[in-house]
Amino acid sequence: MRTLNCLKLISLLGASFLTIKNVKASIPSCVPTKDDTIPYTVTPDTYQYCYLNGVINTINKGILTPENVVCSSNVETGLYFIKDSSSLERFTDENESSAILIDLVSVDGSCSYSEVQIKEGFYIEGDEAALINCNKNQKCKIYTSQAQADPKYYISYDGKLIKQEGNNSYSYLDINDGYYINGNAGKPLIKCESSTCTEVAAQEGDAYIDATEPEKIITCSTVDSSNAVTCDYGDLEGYIINSSAITSSVNPIIYCESGSCKESPVPDPYSYYEHATEKSKVIACSSVKNTCKLESGEVGDYFVAIQGDEKNKLIKCENVKEKVECKVAASIDSGYYLNSGGNSSVNQTIYCDSSSCDTTHVNPGYYINSGSIDEEQKDGLIQCDLNICDTKDISAIDCSKLSSISYATVCYKDSAFNFYKSDDLINPTNFTTAGEVFIFDSLKRFPSIGSEVTTLYHLTEYGIERYIGSGVIGVKSSTNQKVSDLDGELGSEIILYDCSTTTKQCTRRTSCVSNTYMYDIENKAALYCNNGKLVSETGKGYYVDSVTMVGSKTPYIINCDENECTHEAPTVQSYYINSSEYDGNSKKLIYCNNSNCYTVAATSGYYISNQQNGIISCTSSTACTYRDAATAGNNVNYVNAGKNKSLNALIYCNGKTCVPKTAKVGYYFSNRVTTLIYCESTNSCNEINPTENYYYYADTIDGKNYIIKCSKVSTSIICSKEVPDTGSYLTSQTNILINCTKNGSCKQMNAKPGFYQSAVKITINSKRDVDNEKELVKDISGRDSTTTYNIIECTTTNCELLSAEELASIPICEYNSDKCYITLNYAMSKSAVTSISAGNICTNSDRSKIYFATDTIVVAPSVIAGQTATYVYTTTTTNCLIADSKYDDYYYTIGSDIYRINDGSISHFYDTGYYFIDIEKNALVSSNNIDNYNKENVKLYKCDGLNCVIIDEPDNATYFSDVNKRIVKYNINSNSYVFAYEKDIICIFANNKCTPNADLNNREFCITYKGEIALAAADIKNRETGDCYKASSINSKIYGYNQYLYNMDIGSATVVDKNGYYIVSLSSNSTVVTKDYKNRMVNTNSFKVYGCYNTNCKVYTPESGLYYYDDNSKTLLKNEDNTWVAPSNSGYALVSINPNEKYVYKFKIENDVVTLISKAGTGYYYTIDNEMYECSENDNSCKLIEDSDYYFTNAGEIYYCVYDSENLEKTECTKQSCYAGQNYYIGDNYYRCEAGSYLTPIKSRNCKYDENVIVNFPVILKEEFPTTIKQAIESVERNNNSTAVAVRSNKKYLTVIPAIFTNCTYNVEETEAAYDFVCLNNYVTVNEEEDTVEICSIENLGYVECIEDDANPEKCKPSSAFTRVVLNVFSVIFTAIVSLYIVLY
């Protein structure tokens, strides 16, 4: 061993003394003295070294010896220990003591060192062959161990491995996962996993593959009475259980052969191995659990074993020197052995031929026990009932013990089973005489048979069994041997048996059903029945076994490959391609589900196939192909076309299986990188061709979220998944975003109008992009280009990334503790805003943070006297919030606008509903304390999906369903909100019916699971169903009726207290609109009339002929002959506007809107229903006339009405026409005839003083004529033997006596006109000036010269009068006389 004394070590370290930190002790300085004999001192004086001028010196009696301070090139870099004692000597302690650890660095003869902190663990000291172990208290010792040939290992202070070879050779080792023999006392092993090593305990019998030499094995055992476990390298041949906690879950067994060991997986669910060392036990392993365990063997146990590459060996447990020994048998006797393995409940026996063995299921019967261990054969027989086998004394069925045989019997003699058949009880059938045969007979005494059973029995060399199978078997009738080829017709030579595992019996079949398939059990073939003939099917594929039925179901299919066919009963829903010659084209698929298989037609798409081991792809109804799971793809999805697609819209393949998958809304990878699958709901998915975009990935992988990015590669769109960044992604749908949070979770959302931080960064090139943004990025970097975030702006219909110009227009702010200022750099850029109002946004310089203005934001103050007067000092109020998820639960209101804040987003909130918001706390009221709803700062918002408005305090009692699913009532008496009920009732609403979860008990309202308010029409019991009212939206109003009539939307119900009628369509519960009745025959029962007086409302049965006016919908309707009718023209009608009034109203119709213009005054009114009413304002009533007469209506019309006093006929009224432009004298007033024969009082504009006009006096009013007119009429009759009545041009015109008047004067105050009388029609007078006779001519508006009428001698002829108006003395005198007469009378 090479040594280095302490002085030499310290001298080497003195070349360059580094600053020492965090050390427990330091080398003291060499202190000069004035004594030449002792030039230096050191404290404490026991130290042998001191530090001077960068050199560590030896000091002896004050004298320094620098000549020994040398740093030579052969000093190795490493860690060195110095004893922390009074003399600072080299560390050599084998007991734990304090030390100083020096890290020495030697480069080209130059040395430097630093003192480092000691950690727990092992150290290799410098270039010495020394191992030092330090504990957690920083106490260390030289570690010694016995020299050995095999290496040992230690965990170093820094977690590395130290390898010891021989006695004192140590080196650091690269870590491999696995186990190492621990050189440290205590736990015998070191386990290293993922580069982390720990000391671990072991148990006796443990075995591990060595981590450094994979062919070597480490075995553990106890060596003395202390039961301490030690581990060392072993020398094994055979199998042992792998104890590794790292690899045993994959490779639970270790196999050693010729000094080489390796770990191995377990191939089968039940795998057995001979143990390499413990011969009384076997190793039992399961490939299902990937575990192995030891099982003790008993004499007579047999197991199918694995040995090397052979899987079909037999382990036999026997008595060897009074000990159980289980070994692989060197030789095997053919026949049956009782299975001792874990699958013995299914495969009760082991069957061996001369070379191999395997477990097998046997049917009930008797079998020769080839594993008998009793010399007297007391275990020579294996008797099996259903699934249970046991050994029996073979003498129990000895034929010689039977006194007589009177029925079919099975017994044993001469080393063979004998079958005495019913038809031959003398000559038995056995294997020696007949070979392997199938006998159809009845046995009374046989395993599994309690009473006589007629079925097929199978006799072989080693046993006889009750034949149980699924399918058919053909037997030659002459030899009872199976038929190897069943092609041909069924006849007397070939007997076909149907066998069922359900009934466990076989029955004879005499024929077959055409176009059906059956399974040949013994020949493993498919048989097709073609017109009574059997044909062996040689084609590869699947067929429905139509013969083997369970009840009415056909649970089996036949699966054929090139060599043989198997009979399968699918246990999971699966499809198969139908290979049938009969319906293989029309029904291309076989569908199996719920123990029933049948053929079905195919459609284009994908189907789960072959017990979820693959898929079927159909491109048409006749073209389908199968792909196994390995070729179907790994981690891919297909759109499910199968019958279960409504529940599982997708098929997922992982390379091993293809299984049904429940879809979530979003996108999935298909089996092609150029397409995606889009699921718009859980039961509707379609394959799409994506565009260059991001898509929401509906899957998660290992609990991680991804997004799909589709990019153009060459001419194709290729899609792949990528880890999302924080922010939002645009998608192919205009207003759909993918929002990803800081924790990596993503969700697809309908974007509300607002701003969203884009997860995709952009590069702004200051040379190419807009000047504004160029100036803005100065805050980010001085480079020509920079990477920054963009912002997405969303409207109600669309989301887009901002352009460079738009991005530049968003101000940049500096932020501190919810206080924002616009930065000076931004404020000095072009087109910059200098003030941001509440509700708007700004961002930080790289656009990665969005700030929401809660108040006005202004430009930051300028620099003053070298100091920036920032907002920290200039304001104490907050004016902004950073877009962060901590505000996600808050509602920020500015006027009627509501804003929501989340990670990287500021959005408008419009979600439909009523919201009580505390605008001071920015929070929804969500409490069972009603006082919180009545606080001064709480406002009620109504949002309809597009806008929100603040709701003022209602004028009427109103119920609201708020977002807390509470029904809140506004009480108008106290002007406050109250809870409508102590506990609200939840109900289900559908088809205008409600089903509550509790008795309503006179509670009018319940609330749906969606938080919508519903009104019950009457009380409803718990879980019963009754009529109910609920609006479809917040903007669609309906009417509902219980104790009161309510005007309802989806979240509120207001008591109706306005007088009037509400005509409601029963199909919508809304007031009727034009489309409900226009151009339609509407039955009475289609509408309901609610009449209200104050809050008292009730349903009214419509009165026939009466119009009902709905002021809300501006609708006028009447019910006539059980049909609702609306007026087609404006006019007058008898209308009821509320339950207390029925009166004639004038109305007009414009664009189907009916407006009541005025209420009728006292007088007559002719309605649109052709009825004449007399109305009186005094008693507020209108009645139908009851007399035939002329009626002058208040509308200025004259009707002649004929009334049937016997009420057999309806009163008929005919309108009387007048001459447009002419005047009429009625009831002491003058009227002018307007177009349409309406008589209106003379207006000032129609009154001219010097104009002659015609005034007509209706004959029907002759009794009311002025005296002057009456006298003139008499004069005409007397003097001219004529009449003053004008000839009517039409019968509809009034019969009148026309006259000429002049000098109209109009009294504005009285709104009346007055005239001077000129003459009456056909009135004759003498013109004394002309000495002529003149006649009054209406056509000439005055007198004309008289022409004698030949038919009326000495009288004037009216028709011969010529046109000449003469105002002579006579007319003036006559006028004066008439005027005097009027005055006098």
Side-chain angles (χ1 to χ4, degrees):
M1 176 179 176
R2 185 168 60 85
T3 62
L4 184 67
N5 62 33
C6 189
L7 176 62
K8 177 70 173 175
L9 172 65
I10 299 302
S11 298
L12 292 174
L13 296 177
S16 176
F17 186 76
L18 301 179
T19 303
I20 301 173
K21 297 180 180 180
N22 299 322
V23 296
K24 297 189 297 179
S26 300
I27 299 173
S29 298
C30 307
V31 181
T33 68
K34 297 180 179 181
D35 187 348
D36 293 339
T37 62
I38 306 175
Y40 295 93
T41 62
V42 62
T43 302
D45 58 7
T46 57
Y47 275 21
Q48 300 175 16
Y49 314 103
C50 63
Y51 173 74
L52 180 66
N53 299 327
V55 176
I56 298 176
N57 296 268
T58 301
I59 183 168
N60 185 15
K61 296 181 180 180
I63 304 299
L64 303 181
T65 55
E67 66 273 8
N68 290 327
V69 183
V70 178
C71 183
S72 62
S73 61
N74 62 353
V75 177
E76 295 183 7
T77 295
L79 297 172
Y80 293 86
F81 285 83
I82 300 173
K83 187 173 182 179
D84 186 10
S85 66
S86 60
S87 60
L88 290 181
E89 55 191 327
R90 179 69 182 273
F91 190 86
T92 58
D93 290 2
E94 293 186 1
N95 295 318
E96 291 179 345
S97 60
S98 298
I100 299 172
L101 180 58
I102 300 297
D103 185 5
L104 176 66
V105 179
S106 176
V107 181
D108 298 330
S110 175
C111 297
S112 62
Y113 84 94
S114 61
E115 187 174 343
V116 295
Q117 186 174 359
I118 295 174
K119 298 179 180 179
E120 182 180 11
F122 285 89
Y123 293 81
I124 300 175
E125 187 183 26
D127 59 348
E128 300 299 318
L131 189 67
I132 295 179
N133 185 20
C134 300
N135 63 24
K136 61 183 178 181
N137 296 320
Q138 299 182 337
K139 302 289 185 179
C140 304
K141 67 178 180 178
I142 300 281
Y143 192 86
T144 58
S145 62
Q146 295 180 352
Q148 61 177 38
D150 294 320
K152 290 185 178 181
Y153 301 88
Y154 305 85
I155 300 175
S156 72
Y157 68 96
D158 56 358
K160 296 179 181 178
L161 278 184
I162 297 172
K163 180 180 181 182
Q164 176 191 0
E165 293 182 287
N167 189 16
N168 291 303
S169 176
Y170 301 99
S171 61
Y172 287 103
L173 183 72
D174 291 336
I175 297 175
N176 295 326
D177 284 358
Y179 287 81
Y180 302 80
I181 294 177
N182 190 9
N184 189 20
K187 297 178 180 178
L189 294 174
I190 295 173
K191 184 185 98 174
C192 295
E193 187 174 13
S194 302
S195 300
T196 299
C197 299
T198 55
E199 295 181 346
V200 294
Q203 294 180 339
E204 183 178 14
D206 283 356
Y208 306 86
I209 293 293
D210 183 60
T212 59
E213 299 183 59
E215 292 186 350
K216 296 180 70 173
I217 189 168
I218 300 171
T219 59
C220 302
S221 60
T222 55
V223 294
D224 52 35
S225 60
S226 65
N227 290 326
V229 176
T230 62
C231 298
D232 212 336
Y233 295 103
D235 184 14
L236 293 179
E237 286 289 323
Y239 291 92
I240 195 166
I241 296 174
N242 183 9
S243 303
S244 170
I246 303 172
T247 60
S248 62
S249 62
V250 177
N251 297 318
I253 196 81
I254 297 173
Y255 178 56
C256 297
E257 184 179 20
S258 302
S260 176
C261 300
K262 65 177 181 179
E263 297 175 346
S264 299
V266 176
D268 299 315
Y270 298 96
S271 298
Y272 291 87
Y273 303 85
E274 178 186 334
H275 198 280
T277 60
E278 297 189 50
K279 297 303 181 181
S280 65
K281 298 178 180 180
V282 294
I283 301 173
C285 299
S286 168
S287 62
V288 177
K289 298 180 180 179
N290 265 333
T291 57
C292 293
K293 63 181 180 179
L294 288 179
E295 289 185 0
S296 297
E298 295 182 3
V299 175
D301 283 351
Y302 292 90
F303 304 89
V304 174
I306 297 173
Q307 187 177 55
D309 296 331
E310 297 183 67
K311 295 174 59 177
N312 300 102
K313 293 292 185 177
L314 185 68
I315 291 179
K316 178 180 181 181
C317 295
E318 54 188 344
N319 190 339
V320 178
K321 297 180 180 180
E322 301 303 320
K323 291 183 179 180
V324 177
E325 187 175 282
C326 298
K327 296 178 63 178
V328 172
S331 61
I332 305 171
D333 292 332
S334 297
Y336 290 94
Y337 298 80
L338 204 59
N339 182 16
S340 301
N343 63 340
S344 62
S345 61
V346 177
N347 294 339
Q348 316 97 310
T349 65
I350 298 171
Y351 179 76
C352 298
D353 57 22
S354 59
S355 59
S356 66
C357 301
D358 204 355
T359 61
T360 184
H361 176 82
V362 292
N363 291 325
Y366 298 115
Y367 303 89
I368 300 296
N369 184 8
S370 298
S372 172
I373 59 174
D374 187 80
E375 293 180 356
E376 297 181 359
Q377 290 288 297
K378 290 186 178 181
D379 62 350
L381 181 69
I382 298 175
Q383 178 177 321
C384 296
D385 287 296
L386 293 172
N387 300 324
I388 298 175
C389 295
D390 202 359
T391 57
K392 300 288 184 181
D393 190 338
I394 200 167
S395 64
I397 59 169
D398 191 342
C399 294
S400 62
K401 292 184 177 182
L402 299 175
S403 57
S404 63
I405 299 174
S406 57
Y407 48 81
T409 303
V410 172
C411 58
Y412 186 80
K413 73 175 181 177
D414 299 332
S415 301
F417 290 104
N418 290 265
F419 196 116
Y420 290 90
K421 297 190 293 182
S422 299
D423 57 358
D424 188 356
L425 298 176
I426 299 174
N427 301 306
T429 301
N430 56 50
F431 184 81
T432 305
T433 59
E436 183 178 347
V437 294
F438 293 85
I439 302 171
F440 188 75
D441 210 330
S442 297
L443 289 178
K444 295 181 179 180
R445 298 176 59 189
F446 196 78
S448 79
I449 294 177
S451 58
E452 185 175 6
V453 174
T454 302
T455 187
L456 200 63
Y457 298 90
H458 182 203
L459 177 65
T460 66
E461 181 180 3
Y462 301 107
I464 182 169
E465 65 175 342
R466 175 183 178 179
Y467 192 80
I468 297 175
S470 179
V472 298
I473 179 172
V475 178
K476 289 183 180 179
S477 59
S478 58
T479 63
N480 287 327
Q481 294 178 338
K482 73 176 182 181
V483 179
S484 299
D485 185 1
L486 282 173
D487 280 6
E489 294 185 12
L490 294 176
S492 58
E493 179 61 23
I494 298 176
I495 302 174
L496 199 64
Y497 295 96
D498 283 340
C499 298
S500 169
T501 55
T502 303
T503 63
K504 297 176 178 56
Q505 287 184 248
C506 299
T507 57
R508 279 184 181 176
R509 169 181 285 275
T510 57
S511 63
C512 62
V513 179
S514 291
N515 300 319
T516 60
Y517 286 84
M518 59 193 79
Y519 179 64
D520 184 347
I521 303 171
E522 290 299 314
N523 296 313
K524 293 181 170 40
L527 300 176
Y528 175 59
C529 183
N530 185 8
N531 294 324
K533 294 182 180 181
L534 294 177
V535 180
S536 292
E537 185 61 64
T538 58
K540 180 181 179 181
Y542 290 92
Y543 310 87
V544 174
D545 182 349
S546 303
V547 172
T548 308
M549 301 182 70
V550 177
S552 61
K553 295 181 178 180
T554 52
Y556 291 95
I557 58 171
I558 304 169
N559 177 14
C560 297
D561 58 20
E562 293 83 353
N563 300 316
E564 63 180 25
C565 300
T566 58
H567 208 216
E568 300 174 2
T571 56
V572 295
Q573 190 174 156
S574 294
Y575 286 85
Y576 303 83
I577 296 176
N578 183 16
S579 298
S580 168
E581 294 181 5
Y582 171 63
D583 62 355
N585 285 326
S586 60
K587 295 181 178 180
K588 196 63 181 175
L589 298 176
I590 298 170
Y591 175 61
C592 295
N593 184 38
N594 194 24
S595 300
N596 197 23
C597 296
Y598 51 92
T599 57
V600 294
T603 58
S604 296
Y606 298 95
Y607 302 83
I608 293 174
S609 181
N610 192 19
Q611 296 274 75
Q612 300 181 352
N613 289 312
I615 61 166
I616 293 173
S617 171
C618 294
T619 55
S620 70
S621 61
T622 58
C624 297
T625 56
Y626 171 75
R627 278 186 274 175
D628 61 24
T631 57
N634 185 22
N635 194 30
V636 296
N637 298 279
Y638 297 85
V639 177
N640 188 4
K643 289 181 179 292
N644 63 338
K645 63 184 179 181
S646 61
L647 295 176
N648 304 109
L650 295 175
I651 300 170
Y652 173 70
C653 296
N654 60 9
K656 297 180 180 179
T657 60
C658 293
V659 296
K661 179 177 179 177
T662 301
K664 293 183 287 187
V665 175
Y667 294 85
Y668 293 84
F669 286 109
S670 70
N671 61 315
R672 294 178 292 168
V673 294
T674 56
T675 63
L676 293 175
I677 294 173
Y678 172 55
C679 296
E680 62 181 347
S681 66
T682 57
N683 58 9
S684 177
C685 299
N686 293 287
E687 196 167 337
I688 65 163
N689 293 313
T691 58
E692 284 189 276
N693 258 309
Y694 288 93
Y695 294 86
Y696 174 66
Y697 191 31
D699 256 341
T700 55
I701 299 175
D702 300 328
K704 297 179 181 178
N705 287 278
Y706 295 88
I707 59 170
I708 299 172
K709 181 180 181 181
C710 295
S711 307
K712 192 168 186 179
V713 178
S714 185
T715 58
S716 300
I717 300 293
I718 304 298
C719 299
S720 61
K721 70 176 186 292
E722 67 176 38
V723 177
D725 202 350
T726 301
S728 296
Y729 293 85
L730 289 172
T731 69
S732 59
Q733 296 169 281
T734 55
N735 64 334
I736 301 295
L737 294 180
I738 303 170
N739 180 255
C740 299
T741 60
K742 298 172 186 176
N743 62 9
S745 65
C746 297
K747 65 179 180 179
Q748 189 169 248
M749 64 179 188
N750 285 307
K752 300 292 192 298
F755 294 95
Y756 300 82
Q757 179 194 318
S758 171
V760 180
K761 297 177 182 177
I762 60 172
T763 298
I764 297 176
N765 189 320
S766 61
K767 293 180 179 180
R768 294 180 298 171
D769 290 340
V770 296
D771 292 338
N772 281 11
E773 195 65 17
K774 171 183 173 181
E775 295 177 26
L776 300 184
V777 299
K778 290 178 182 176
D779 286 345
I780 311 171
S781 171
R783 298 173 295 170
D784 286 340
S785 64
T786 186
T787 299
T788 182
Y789 287 93
N790 201 346
I791 293 176
I792 298 169
E793 183 178 14
C794 294
T795 63
T796 54
T797 58
N798 191 37
C799 292
E800 290 183 349
L801 284 168
L802 295 183
S803 65
E805 292 87 349
E806 291 169 331
L807 187 61
S809 68
I810 294 181
I812 290 179
C813 291
E814 49 190 69
Y815 168 88
N816 189 343
S817 302
D818 296 344
K819 301 167 189 173
C820 288
Y821 277 99
I822 300 170
T823 63
L824 292 173
N825 275 346
Y826 172 81
M828 291 185 290
S829 64
K830 295 179 181 178
S831 305
V833 297
T834 57
S835 177
I836 304 170
S837 60
N840 290 306
I841 67 165
C842 60
T843 72
N844 66 343
S845 57
D846 71 349
R847 308 296 191 184
S848 63
K849 302 293 183 185
I850 301 177
Y851 308 118
F852 174 68
T854 57
D855 205 342
T856 303
I857 299 174
V858 297
V859 178
S862 301
V863 176
I864 302 172
Q867 298 292 325
T868 302
T870 65
Y871 44 81
V872 177
Y873 309 104
T874 58
T875 183
T876 58
T877 59
T878 61
N879 62 353
C880 67
L881 294 170
I882 190 170
D884 191 272
S885 59
K886 65 183 178 181
Y887 302 113
D888 183 35
D889 292 331
Y890 293 94
Y891 293 74
Y892 295 92
T893 61
I894 297 173
S896 61
D897 292 323
I898 304 174
Y899 296 87
R900 299 298 303 276
I901 300 176
N902 209 328
D903 269 340
S905 70
I906 309 289
S907 61
H908 282 276
F909 178 80
Y910 302 135
D911 287 2
T912 299
Y914 286 90
Y915 302 87
F916 289 89
I917 299 178
D918 189 324
I919 61 173
E920 185 177 282
K921 296 180 179 179
N922 302 308
L924 289 177
V925 176
S926 56
S927 171
N928 287 325
N929 185 352
I930 196 62
D931 293 339
N932 291 332
Y933 288 82
N934 291 296
K935 288 183 177 179
E936 184 178 353
N937 294 317
V938 173
K939 293 185 180 297
L940 177 59
Y941 289 78
K942 174 186 177 181
C943 300
D944 64 3
L946 294 174
N947 295 287
C948 295
V949 294
I950 299 174
I951 301 297
D952 295 330
E953 292 180 349
D955 296 327
N956 303 326
T958 303
Y959 295 81
F960 297 96
S961 63
D962 79 340
V963 291
N964 303 308
K965 296 184 180 179
R966 288 301 308 266
I967 300 177
V968 180
K969 177 184 178 182
Y970 183 76
N971 189 326
I972 57 173
N973 296 323
S974 61
N975 292 326
S976 64
Y977 291 101
V978 296
F979 288 128
Y981 313 114
E982 182 177 345
K983 183 178 180 181
D984 292 322
I985 302 297
I986 302 296
C987 58
I988 298 172
F989 178 88
N991 301 321
N992 293 326
K993 302 285 185 181
C994 280
T995 306
N997 66 353
D999 292 349
L1000 288 184
N1001 288 335
N1002 293 321
R1003 283 173 281 200
E1004 293 179 282
F1005 295 96
C1006 60
I1007 194 163
T1008 71
Y1009 289 96
K1010 295 180 180 179
E1012 302 163 345
I1013 195 166
L1015 171 68
D1019 244 9
I1020 307 174
K1021 295 289 186 181
N1022 179 23
R1023 306 300 176 188
E1024 295 183 1
T1025 299
D1027 291 335
C1028 227
Y1029 305 91
K1030 185 183 77 68
S1032 60
S1033 73
I1034 204 163
N1035 288 329
S1036 64
K1037 292 285 189 177
I1038 68 164
Y1039 286 89
Y1041 185 66
N1042 188 306
Q1043 299 173 23
Y1044 299 95
L1045 182 66
Y1046 294 92
N1047 191 7
M1048 304 174 63
D1049 61 33
I1050 203 168
S1052 72
T1054 302
V1055 173
V1056 174
D1057 71 345
K1058 179 183 176 183
N1059 296 348
Y1061 289 103
Y1062 300 85
I1063 307 174
V1064 175
S1065 170
L1066 297 184
S1067 63
S1068 65
N1069 286 324
S1070 300
T1071 50
V1072 294
V1073 292
T1074 306
K1075 67 177 182 179
D1076 292 328
Y1077 55 81
K1078 192 171 184 180
N1079 301 323
R1080 294 176 59 192
M1081 293 287 289
V1082 183
N1083 187 275
T1084 301
N1085 296 328
S1086 299
F1087 298 160
K1088 186 175 284 187
V1089 178
Y1090 295 100
C1092 297
Y1093 200 81
N1094 295 327
T1095 59
N1096 182 20
C1097 300
K1098 64 179 182 179
V1099 178
Y1100 281 82
T1101 301
E1103 180 182 333
S1104 181
L1106 177 64
Y1107 283 93
Y1108 294 87
Y1109 184 65
D1110 187 334
D1111 188 47
N1112 292 278
S1113 63
K1114 304 299 180 186
T1115 301
L1116 189 63
L1117 292 173
K1118 74 170 180 177
N1119 189 266
E1120 193 172 82
D1121 299 327
N1122 290 323
T1123 302
W1124 287 102
V1125 178
S1128 56
N1129 298 307
S1130 302
Y1132 290 90
L1134 185 65
V1135 178
S1136 180
I1137 61 172
N1138 64 60
N1140 290 342
E1141 182 167 302
K1142 180 170 64 174
Y1143 207 79
V1144 170
Y1145 281 84
K1146 183 179 182 181
F1147 66 92
K1148 68 175 180 180
I1149 303 174
E1150 290 181 347
N1151 299 322
D1152 297 321
V1153 174
V1154 177
T1155 304
L1156 297 185
I1157 299 174
S1158 60
K1159 183 178 181 180
T1162 298
Y1164 294 98
Y1165 293 89
Y1166 190 67
T1167 66
I1168 57 173
D1169 296 330
N1170 302 321
E1171 299 282 7
M1172 184 66 71
Y1173 287 91
E1174 181 180 7
C1175 295
S1176 171
E1177 293 180 82
N1178 292 332
D1179 55 10
N1180 194 37
S1181 67
C1182 294
K1183 298 178 181 178
L1184 290 170
I1185 60 171
E1186 295 182 348
D1187 293 301
S1188 296
D1189 205 343
Y1190 287 90
Y1191 295 91
F1192 182 35
T1193 70
N1194 286 26
E1197 298 174 293
I1198 298 176
Y1199 287 88
Y1200 178 67
C1201 297
V1202 177
Y1203 173 76
D1204 182 3
S1205 59
E1206 295 180 359
N1207 290 321
L1208 299 176
E1209 299 288 342
K1210 184 179 178 180
T1211 299
E1212 290 187 4
C1213 295
T1214 304
K1215 183 178 179 179
Q1216 304 297 295
S1217 300
C1218 61
Y1219 295 100
Q1222 294 186 9
N1223 297 337
Y1224 287 78
Y1225 183 86
I1226 300 173
D1228 296 336
N1229 287 304
Y1230 293 97
Y1231 296 87
R1232 178 180 174 83
C1233 182
E1234 304 291 353
S1237 294
Y1238 287 93
L1239 295 167
T1240 61
I1242 298 294
K1243 306 295 183 186
S1244 60
R1245 64 176 179 272
N1246 306 123
C1247 187
K1248 297 180 180 179
Y1249 185 79
D1250 56 354
E1251 180 182 32
N1252 285 10
V1253 295
I1254 300 172
V1255 176
N1256 295 304
F1257 291 83
V1259 174
I1260 59 174
L1261 300 175
K1262 62 181 180 179
E1263 299 300 326
E1264 300 176 11
F1265 287 174
T1267 303
T1268 305
I1269 300 303
K1270 289 181 179 179
Q1271 291 174 347
I1273 292 170
E1274 292 175 355
S1275 176
V1276 170
E1277 294 174 349
R1278 181 179 65 251
N1279 297 332
N1280 200 39
N1281 194 25
S1282 181
T1283 178
V1285 177
V1287 178
R1288 289 190 295 176
S1289 61
N1290 190 302
K1291 291 184 178 180
K1292 289 186 179 181
Y1293 281 86
L1294 283 169
T1295 301
V1296 297
I1297 297 174
I1300 305 299
F1301 284 76
T1302 191
N1303 296 338
C1304 178
T1305 57
Y1306 190 79
N1307 187 329
V1308 177
E1309 292 181 358
E1310 300 293 335
T1311 64
E1312 292 180 350
Y1315 289 90
D1316 291 337
F1317 177 70
V1318 176
C1319 63
L1320 188 72
N1321 185 34
N1322 292 335
Y1323 184 84
V1324 177
T1325 186
V1326 176
N1327 186 341
E1328 295 182 352
E1329 291 183 1
E1330 298 291 336
D1331 194 23
T1332 59
V1333 177
E1334 295 178 333
I1335 187 170
C1336 185
S1337 171
I1338 300 303
E1339 291 83 354
N1340 292 281
L1341 300 178
Y1343 285 103
V1344 297
E1345 186 176 346
C1346 176
I1347 298 175
E1348 186 176 352
D1349 187 358
D1350 294 337
N1352 191 13
E1354 296 182 356
K1355 305 297 179 184
C1356 293
K1357 184 178 182 180
S1359 62
S1360 65
F1362 54 87
T1363 304
R1364 184 165 68 89
V1365 178
V1366 180
L1367 293 177
N1368 51 28
V1369 175
F1370 175 81
S1371 65
V1372 174
I1373 295 171
F1374 182 82
T1375 300
I1377 295 173
V1378 170
S1379 299
L1380 180 61
Y1381 182 85
I1382 293 173
V1383 171
L1384 294 174
Y1385 290 92

